[in-house]
Amino acid sequence: MKICFYALREYDELHFCREMKEKYGIDFTYTTDYPNDKNIALASGCDGMSCTPCDMSRKVLEAFHNVGVKYILLRSVGYDHVDLEAAREFGLKVDTVTYPPTGVADYAIMLMLASVRRFAHILKRAELQDYSLKNKLGRDFSMCTVGVMGTGRIGTTVIQHLSGFGCRILAYDVYENETAKKFAEYVDRDTLFRESDIITLHMNANDDNYHIISREAIEKMKLGAYIINTARGKLVDSEALIWGIESGRLGGAALDVVEFENGLYYYDLMGEVMVNPKLAMLRSFPNVILSPHTAFYTAEDVRDMVEGNFRSCYEFGTGKKLHGVEVRA
Ligand code: COI
């Protein structure tokens, strides 16, 4: 069996590919580029193709199907970028990865703390020798009510870890999670909006929750509330967020993901013209923190992502389910 890796990072993923090749007996080839018209042929002769989130529309899936690829192996938990209906039509099997939820959960908590303590602003000013206190007054995190939207693996871990800080925790999800229930109170969406000082998003993006943080939602929130997004950009209407910040309704936001981040994030664009006006606008606010979709980025998670693709390929190809069993090819 063989996997063709796209957008493979030679500095942190390649050595894991080499390790997993030995462990699973599955060969690989790679390119550092995202899939495009010119490099799809690189996957011919491969059982699977692997990529981090990128355009996985019908056209792209058809092209991979045409060169003989059978498995679409995502180096992500999220799959909102994949046209699953088209994949089914072309007989392509699609799999995501699972990496420990702690990395993203702790990053979200870091963003919460940084937001309410105005940490990014304080650091930026200190770099310029501004050691004054004016405009740097924070909130006591332990006294905040945190509303967690989405109580899957990551949301529930956020809740568990937050309980150590002494925050009051509210939760919202269509499905209630028994572990989350031990530390958080499930409430309806409007109650969460009304009572939370901080709202943190941990949902997969789908048609039902597109722009769940809309202007209408922001209008329902507590004056001075903070929005934290480490899930998907599509959950937040950026225009509404800009309105919330400009009008002073929101106290701030910390966004690891933004709408239309594809083509920007993970590229070094230093010195180039910013082509995302909403992102440029958000960047200009002192109470908005932006990071380039790095919440997942730990050595542990990267390893699990690469291994996850090899495991899926092994399982698809052999029909054998691995349950944490060591594979020696
Ligand atoms: C995911 O796993 O869904 C992520 O968002 C991280 C990915 C961009 C590598």
Side-chain angles (χ1 to χ4, degrees):
M1 282 184 278
K2 190 169 175 181
I3 305 173
C4 182
F5 281 83
Y6 286 85
L8 188 85
R9 299 184 304 268
E10 290 175 315
Y11 49 87
D12 66 351
E13 293 182 307
L14 184 56
H15 63 284
F16 290 133
C17 285
R18 292 194 177 120
E19 182 188 331
M20 299 309 157
K21 174 181 169 170
E22 297 309 314
K23 183 168 175 180
Y24 289 87
I26 295 174
D27 200 4
F28 73 95
T29 184
Y30 74 93
T31 165
T32 56
D33 293 330
Y34 283 93
N36 58 47
D37 291 347
K38 293 196 190 88
N39 66 20
I40 281 181
L42 191 67
S44 82
C46 291
D47 304 271
M49 69 74 65
S50 156
C51 202
T52 65
C54 62
D55 178 12
M56 280 286 134
S57 56
R58 169 175 293 272
K59 187 173 143 256
V60 179
L61 293 171
E62 186 171 19
F64 278 113
H65 167 69
N66 288 343
V67 296
V69 164
K70 294 175 284 181
Y71 318 137
I72 303 295
L73 308 167
L74 310 177
R75 296 207 300 292
S76 59
V77 172
Y79 52 86
D80 52 295
H81 55 290
V82 185
D83 184 338
L84 291 177
E85 206 179 295
R88 220 167 290 128
E89 236 174 79
F90 298 125
L92 292 163
K93 289 186 177 172
V94 180
D95 209 1
T96 56
V97 289
T98 48
Y99 45 83
T102 40
V104 177
D106 292 345
Y107 195 96
I109 293 172
M110 175 181 79
L111 292 181
M112 292 176 210
L113 277 161
S115 295
V116 298
R117 298 306 302 265
R118 313 209 61 193
F119 194 53
H121 177 63
I122 291 171
L123 285 184
K124 269 190 214 160
R125 301 305 299 233
E127 274 172 25
L128 302 170
Q129 298 256 55
D130 171 5
Y131 307 126
S132 68
L133 287 175
K134 200 172 171 207
N135 292 327
K136 293 172 189 164
L137 192 66
R139 295 276 317 272
D140 186 329
F141 185 51
S142 296
M143 293 187 192
C144 288
T145 296
V146 182
V148 179
M149 299 188 72
T151 56
R153 291 172 76 236
I154 295 173
T156 295
T157 307
V158 168
I159 289 171
Q160 282 177 298
H161 290 194
L162 274 180
S163 69
F165 284 93
C167 307
R168 175 179 174 229
I169 312 167
L170 303 178
Y172 166 78
D173 203 324
V174 209
Y175 305 103
E176 297 195 356
N177 177 303
E178 288 309 311
T179 309
K181 250 187 188 167
K182 287 187 199 154
F183 307 100
E185 182 193 341
Y186 274 96
V187 291
D188 60 56
R189 203 192 294 179
D190 282 359
T191 305
L192 185 141
F193 286 155
R194 204 171 48 242
E195 296 191 12
S196 301
D197 299 296
I198 303 168
I199 293 169
T200 182
L201 306 174
H202 301 286
M203 317 167 118
N204 262 325
N206 56 44
D207 291 343
D208 297 334
N209 60 24
Y210 177 74
H211 283 181
I212 194 164
I213 303 299
S214 58
R215 179 162 170 160
E216 200 191 344
I218 293 171
E219 278 167 342
K220 289 178 184 162
M221 289 175 195
K222 241 186 186 181
L223 192 65
Y226 293 85
I227 310 241
I228 313 296
N229 191 5
T230 52
R232 281 293 180 268
K234 294 178 214 168
L235 298 173
V236 177
D237 177 351
S238 318
E239 226 159 277
L241 187 73
I242 290 169
W243 168 80
I245 299 285
E246 281 181 337
S247 64
R249 278 213 60 86
L250 292 174
L255 312 170
D256 186 49
V257 286
V258 285
E259 289 184 284
F260 320 118
E261 68 183 47
N262 278 356
L264 283 179
Y265 284 179
Y266 305 148
Y267 291 96
D268 180 352
L269 301 175
M270 195 155 63
E272 297 202 13
V273 171
M274 165 79 84
V275 290
N276 186 327
K278 287 181 196 154
L279 187 62
M281 188 82 148
L282 287 166
R283 190 174 292 290
S284 73
F285 298 130
N287 52 349
V288 172
I289 298 172
L290 295 167
S291 62
H293 206 148
T294 41
F296 80 98
Y297 198 50
T298 66
E300 292 82 357
D301 290 2
V302 170
R303 186 181 194 281
D304 277 9
M305 278 182 184
V306 173
E307 175 153 19
N309 283 178
F310 278 87
R311 283 176 77 91
S312 301
C313 187
Y314 181 91
E315 291 184 347
F316 282 150
T318 61
K320 284 187 214 154
K321 264 269 173 231
L322 297 170
H323 298 285
V325 187
E326 274 293 293
V327 179
R328 287 271 170 262

